[in-house]
Amino acid sequence: MKHILTAGVIALGLAAPVAAAAANGTETYDLLFREGTLDAIPLDRSLVYSREVDNSLKPDAAERDTGTIALDIRKDEARMADIEFRQGEKYRNLGSFPASVGNPMIMYFYETVVRDMAEAAGGSPFYIRNRVKEALVQPSEVVEGEASVDGETVETRTITLHPFRGDPNADRMMGFGDLALTVTMSDEVPGWYLSLVAEARGDDAPVYRSAITFDALEDETQ
C-alpha cells in the first residue's frame, strides 16, 4: 500500500466476508479499542475521516453533524491526538487524547451515537451509554473479510454490536431499538479503523445512520 492514501480511494462496497470467529468479551474490547494504532503516524500527517449522518427524526442535526474530521498528532513530548471537525469554512475542536492509548475515533464514534440517539429519541443518555458499554464487553462474532483501499486489497475484521437486543424498552426507542454498531478494522489502514457505522433501520423506514469512513493520510498543510 502507498504510504499516503488519498481521499476517495476506499471502496467499502467491495468488502467481502471471508470467515467468522467467536471472540469473548475481552477480545472484542481489545480489538475495538486496540492500543498503539497511532504509533506509526508521522507528526506531519493527518488522519482524515468523513462523517455522513442521516436522521429522519432530526434532519437538522444530521446536516449539522455531516462533515470532515481530522486527527493530528501534536508535535510535543506529550504526543497528544487532537481531533477537529470541519464543515466548509467552519472548524470545531473535538478534544485532545493521549496518542499512546490508541485512536480516539472509536470513542468519538460511540459518544456521538449516544448523543444523537438521546437527542432524537428522547431517552436518557446515561441509560444509552451504559447499554453501549455493556455491549462492548460481550462475546461477539469477528468477521474476517477484504476491502479495496487505494486499488489494493486489504484484509479486514468487522464486529457488529446490538446494544439494545432484548432490551425491555426497545419498543419505546423511536426505531433505535434495533441499533447496530459496526466497526471494520485493518492493520493495513493507518489508524486501524476503516469504517465505523451506526444504523437503526426502524420498522417502516430507516431512522438513523452515522458512517465515519477513513479518507486519507495526508500532509497537514493540505
Side-chain angles (χ1 to χ4, degrees), residues 1-194:
M1 181 183 298
K2 297 178 182 178
H3 184 62
I4 300 177
L5 299 177
T6 55
V9 298
I10 297 175
L12 290 178
L14 297 181
V18 175
N24 62 39
T26 299
E27 293 168 338
T28 297
Y29 185 90
D30 289 345
L31 270 178
L32 293 172
F33 290 86
R34 189 173 184 178
E35 296 184 359
T37 51
L38 297 180
D39 291 352
I41 305 300
L43 296 180
D44 59 346
R45 302 287 168 79
S46 296
L47 288 172
V48 180
Y49 302 84
S50 62
R51 186 183 186 216
E52 296 185 10
V53 183
D54 293 308
N55 190 334
S56 65
L57 301 178
K58 291 281 186 178
D60 291 344
E63 183 177 352
R64 175 198 67 196
D65 297 330
T66 294
T68 300
I69 303 165
L71 185 154
D72 300 324
I73 308 298
R74 192 182 304 168
K75 299 179 180 66
D76 57 28
E77 294 183 0
R79 194 172 168 79
M80 300 291 288
D82 297 327
I83 303 180
E84 183 178 71
F85 180 79
R86 302 170 180 174
Q87 192 179 58
E89 298 300 319
K90 299 178 181 179
Y91 295 79
R92 183 171 77 248
N93 180 38
L94 299 176
S96 299
F97 308 84
S100 59
V101 176
N103 190 338
M105 287 302 299
I106 187 75
M107 293 181 285
Y108 173 76
F109 169 64
Y110 287 126
E111 283 298 322
T112 53
V113 171
V114 169
R115 181 203 65 192
D116 292 351
M117 179 176 169
E119 184 178 58
S124 164
F126 303 103
Y127 182 84
I128 297 168
R129 184 178 292 107
N130 286 337
R131 291 311 306 263
V132 171
K133 286 182 177 179
E134 291 172 7
L136 293 172
V137 294
Q138 295 300 313
S140 62
E141 183 178 71
V142 181
V143 178
E144 297 182 359
E146 296 177 343
S148 177
V149 179
D150 203 12
E152 298 186 18
T153 300
V154 303
E155 296 182 353
T156 62
R157 281 177 277 186
T158 299
I159 291 177
T160 300
L161 308 177
H162 300 272
F164 303 107
R165 178 175 286 172
D167 192 302
N169 298 305
D171 291 341
R172 295 184 288 174
M173 293 181 178
M174 304 289 289
F176 278 89
D178 67 349
L179 181 69
L181 307 173
T182 301
V183 181
T184 300
M185 305 151 278
S186 175
D187 286 311
E188 299 172 80
V189 172
W192 180 236
Y193 304 113
L194 181 58

